[in-house]
């Protein structure tokens, strides 16, 4: 086991290479994840402070299924 | 609100891709590390330092790939004014810079025992350092203007001008004398690397690619959320 970690005498070069790679990539992933979650939280609080109508407009999502249903029923009843 | 139409379609696509890219990342990273650190042999000349290759070479590939992706996004942003393209370029730059940095550091850690020096100012190493500075320049320019659109435009122009550096990196080992070895995987007559070393390299390459896809998608999602936050705050101010 000790001879494995010695890497044929090159332990001082092989392990730091993997360590630097791991540190940089993990740090980037964590920073990216945190940045996304922070912004999503900010967006949620911003949207929560506004009325439901404006919230839907800001999200620009497809109309909720129940909204579609009520729209079609009102259309049918009006006919 | 028209400008949100496209990002929302993108968000659906990104959320569909992310579980897959994360899954590929975990599986190929575990397999790649096992192959690279345990089941691959040492080199007959370089001993165990050859294991540095399995992080050094994929990092170099992705450093260059990310730059080309950033340049393509910049071209799309400049020509068609596609709102997502600028966000994609902006999201790619730090990822490419990270890969390039990893490539340079692991290269130095490989160069010291094998070449006897951490660094030489030869064509391959210098052009790779220029790549890192191009990423830094892109990120700095993007944030250098009060008007974000002007910053985006200036950064996109820099990305396009700098793309000339990518073929220079690729062919530097053929055009100039260098300590760096020539291409051994992407060659006209097939890879010159033994399968016992080629497989760990390719699996690690896949892991780095999946990492790139996941992180860039997450960063674009963050950029879109940022744009929405800015739009909401603007509408609050202006009524």
């Amino acid at each position: 086991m000790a001879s494995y970690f010695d890497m044929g005498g090159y332990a001082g070069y092989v392990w730091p290479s993997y360590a630097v790679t791991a540190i940089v990539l993990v740090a980037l992933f964590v920073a990216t994840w945190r940045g996304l979650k922070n912004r999503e939280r900010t967006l949620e609080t911003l949207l929560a402070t506004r009325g439901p109508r404006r919230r839907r407009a800001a999200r620009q999502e497809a109309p909720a299924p129940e909204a579609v249903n009520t729209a079609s029923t009102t259309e049918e009843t009006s006919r | 609100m028209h400008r949100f139409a496209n990002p929302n379609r993108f968000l659906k696509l990104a959320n569909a891709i992310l579980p897959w890219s994360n899954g590929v990342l975990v599986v190929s990273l575990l397999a790649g590390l096992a192959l690279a650190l345990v089941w691959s042999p040492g080199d007959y000349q370089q001993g165990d330092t050859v294991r540095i290759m399995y992080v050094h070479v994929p990092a170099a590939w992705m450093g260059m790939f990310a730059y080309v992706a950033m340049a393509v996004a910049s071209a799309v942003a400049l020509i068609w004014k596609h709102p997502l393209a600028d966000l994609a370029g902006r999201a790619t730059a730090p990822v490419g810079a990270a890969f390039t940095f990893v490539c340079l550091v692991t290269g130095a850690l490989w160069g010291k025992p094998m070449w006897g020096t951490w660094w030489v100012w030869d064509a391959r190493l210098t052009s790779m350092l220029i790549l890192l500075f191009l990423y830094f320049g892109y990120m700095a320019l993007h944030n250098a203007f009060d008007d974000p659109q002007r910053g985006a435009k200036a950064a996109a122009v820099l990305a396009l001008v700098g793309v000339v550096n990518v073929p220079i990196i690729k062919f530097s080992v053929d055009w100039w004398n260098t300590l760096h070895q020539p291409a051994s995987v992407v060659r006209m007559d097939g890879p010159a690397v033994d399968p016992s070393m080629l497989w760990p390299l390719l699996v690690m390459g896949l892991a780095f690619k999946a990492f790139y896809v996941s992180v860039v998608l997450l960063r674009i999602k963050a950029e879109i959320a940022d744009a929405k936050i800015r739009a909401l705050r603007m509408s609050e101010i202006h009524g």
Side-chain angles (χ1 to χ4, degrees):
Chain A
M1 206 60 185
S3 72
Y4 170 74
F5 285 111
D6 187 47
M7 280 288 158
Y10 293 118
Y13 302 103
V14 175
W15 294 118
S17 295
Y18 280 81
V20 166
T21 308
I23 290 166
V24 170
L25 297 187
V26 167
L28 181 63
F29 199 98
V30 169
T32 299
W33 187 258
R34 281 206 184 143
L36 176 61
K37 291 297 145 194
N38 279 340
R39 285 180 180 119
E40 281 179 349
R41 225 173 297 133
T42 312
L43 193 58
E44 278 304 310
T45 40
L46 272 176
L47 290 170
T49 54
R50 353 189 89 216
R53 207 179 59 100
R54 296 191 69 179
R55 177 192 298 197
R56 199 177 302 143
R59 275 185 180 163
Q60 195 68 30
E61 278 172 354
E66 62 269 22
V68 176
N69 287 340
T70 47
S72 58
T73 42
T74 44
E75 207 176 87
E76 273 164 24
T77 45
S78 66
R79 237 191 271 138
Chain B
M1 284 303 154
H2 161 76
R3 62 181 177 276
F4 287 156
N6 263 327
N8 275 324
R9 215 182 308 148
F10 169 83
L11 283 177
K12 269 195 197 126
L13 186 68
N15 289 334
I17 294 171
L18 271 167
W20 291 95
S21 57
N22 286 338
V24 170
L25 169 60
V26 171
V27 172
S28 58
L29 186 64
L30 292 177
L33 282 175
L35 285 167
L37 289 172
V38 183
W39 284 309
S40 69
D43 188 67
Y44 78 103
Q45 275 182 328
Q46 306 197 26
D48 283 319
T49 61
V50 76
R51 298 186 199 281
I52 297 172
M53 174 176 76
Y54 307 125
V55 285
H56 173 74
V57 172
W61 284 342
M62 291 314 301
M64 289 192 281
F65 176 88
Y67 195 90
V68 174
M70 192 176 86
V72 169
S74 298
V76 173
L78 282 176
I79 297 167
W80 289 290
K81 310 251 181 284
H82 195 293
L84 263 180
D86 174 51
L87 297 187
R90 208 175 147 82
T92 303
V95 188
F99 282 128
T100 308
F101 176 77
V102 165
C103 172
L104 287 168
V105 172
T106 56
L109 284 164
W110 200 2
K112 184 61 184 167
M114 289 300 109
W115 299 343
T117 177
W118 300 103
W119 183 263
V120 281
W121 289 102
D122 81 346
R124 173 54 74 85
L125 280 69
T126 308
S127 55
M128 208 62 196
L129 186 64
I130 289 172
L131 186 74
L132 184 64
F133 289 155
L134 282 169
Y135 280 122
F136 288 162
Y138 178 93
M139 291 187 275
L141 262 184
H142 228 300
N143 298 320
F145 294 87
D146 288 332
D147 175 8
Q149 292 204 320
R150 280 185 68 196
K153 202 169 179 182
V157 170
L158 174 74
L160 282 178
V161 173
V163 84
V164 73
N165 188 44
V166 173
I168 293 179
I169 297 172
K170 169 74 185 133
F171 295 111
S172 57
V173 282
D174 305 322
W175 293 343
W176 291 284
N177 279 322
T178 171
L179 279 177
H180 198 284
Q181 61 166 323
S184 45
V185 177
V186 186
R187 298 195 327 158
M188 294 301 281
D189 39 357
V193 182
D194 188 77
S196 65
M197 294 179 185
L198 186 60
W199 275 111
L201 182 58
L202 293 178
V203 175
M204 284 299 273
L206 181 66
F208 276 47
K209 175 77 92 186
F211 176 91
Y212 167 84
V213 170
S214 286
V215 173
V216 167
L217 286 178
L218 290 171
R219 294 192 81 89
I220 297 177
K221 280 180 73 173
E223 294 282 348
I224 291 174
D226 220 23
K228 285 182 181 175
I229 291 168
R230 248 179 290 133
L232 280 170
R233 292 212 165 119
M234 283 295 246
S235 71
E236 248 160 39
I237 294 166
H238 298 295

